[in-house]
Amino acid sequence: MSLPRAKLVKNFPGCPVEATLTYLDGKWKGVILFHLMEGTLRFNELRRKLPAVTQRMLTKQLRELEESGLVSRTVYPVVPPRVEYAMTPLGMTLKPVIQALAAWGDAYVFCSPEGRELRLASDGLRAPVAALEA
Amino acid sequence: MSLPRAKLVKNFPGCPVEATLTYLDGKWKGVILFHLMEGTLRFNELRRKLPAVTQRMLTKQLRELEESGLVSRTVYPVVPPRVEYAMTPLGMTLKPVIQALAAWGDAYVFCSPEGRELRLASDGLRAPVAALEA
DNA sequence: GTACGTAGTACCCAAAAGGATACTGTAAAT
DNA sequence: ATTTACAGTATCCTTTTGGGTACTACGTAC
């Protein structure tokens, strides 16, 4: 549930790329993992790092990451409530993946001046590999 | 368009992970890139590698990848039509990313016997990092 | 003269993902 | 007495995504 892609494994026979993407899929999972890689965070600390996320969405994404076993949720029974989110050891194994994603993003993606769109660096790299010859 | 996430860059201030995921997002992009990394493929060759994809979906995903500049589409004006899809040089820069995704998938994701679900390897790695102490 | 393979479109529909808004309860701070 | 911070839920609604089916054109093979 909440992972419709996961139900379709048979569709990507043996494709480990899609398998991994299944777990990263969700609008905020990338950023969340990115921040949690640096250390444990409380719910609202995370929220402050994601200016535009709603509580509902943040909760949803975190619950999915928890269900996947990538992130742990620790509730301290105090008041006001204190809930800490941290990477699990399994989640930590994603570090190279997150780093690769981050490195590529840093190198090739930039925002348009207005900050509303993503663009890829096209510096000569964008030409097709094969030219059409007669 | 077709990249709603892209419109929300301001939501992930400077998060290069989400930036990259924006381009990999789409149900078949992962597998498509995975296969094209190995070499140029014609439309139906690709289709045969993705048993469950519909023509409509395959076309859509390919067009999006083309629009991003990651994949090139070369039409040979012959009949029957011949259309070749290949990675662009820019697309090739994704190789380390695809490899990292594939490596993690190989190492940690396995399919349930019925082949209908994805599971993560939980071999002791799933325990939370921080134990709750009083 | 019918079927097949090529690379698609067009149209419609269902499911999933995401967003807006309002609400909860407790304790401390003002 | 009111407000603030905390960590959420609940409800409703819109957008996005993905899937199903049928259709196209052309030339070759049977």
Side-chain angles (χ1 to χ4, degrees), chain B residues 96-127:
Chain B
V97 176
I98 299 293
Q99 279 170 346
L101 288 166
W104 195 85
D106 275 331
Y108 297 104
V109 186
F110 62 93
C111 299
S112 62
E114 320 85 51
R116 304 198 134 272
E117 282 174 71
L118 288 180
R119 291 278 162 72
L120 287 180
S122 43
D123 325 331
L125 280 175
R126 207 156 169 164

Side-chain angles (χ1 to χ4, degrees), chain A residues 56-71:
Chain A
R56 180 174 121 58
M57 266 301 123
L58 184 52
T59 306
K60 246 185 108 192
Q61 301 291 294
L62 285 167
R63 292 293 148 86
E64 288 180 18
L65 288 169
E66 194 196 355
E67 214 198 304
S68 305
L70 298 172
V71 161

Side-chain angles (χ1 to χ4, degrees), chain A residues 39-113:
Chain A
T40 299
L41 288 172
R42 298 180 56 174
F43 184 82
N44 275 356
E45 284 175 331
L46 209 38
R47 195 142 88 101
R48 274 175 229 120
K49 303 211 179 236
L50 276 41
V53 78
T54 61
Q55 275 182 315
R56 180 174 121 58
M57 266 301 123
L58 184 52
T59 306
K60 246 185 108 192
Q61 301 291 294
L62 285 167
R63 292 293 148 86
E64 288 180 18
L65 288 169
E66 194 196 355
E67 214 198 304
S68 305
L70 298 172
V71 161
S72 69
R73 175 170 178 271
T74 311
V75 182
Y76 296 88
V78 296
V79 55
R82 173 187 190 84
V83 179
E84 285 187 353
Y85 290 92
M87 300 300 292
T88 59
L90 178 60
M92 276 302 179
T93 64
L94 271 175
K95 195 152 200 176
V97 176
I98 299 294
Q99 280 170 346
L101 288 166
W104 195 85
D106 275 331
Y108 297 104
V109 186
F110 61 94
C111 299
S112 62

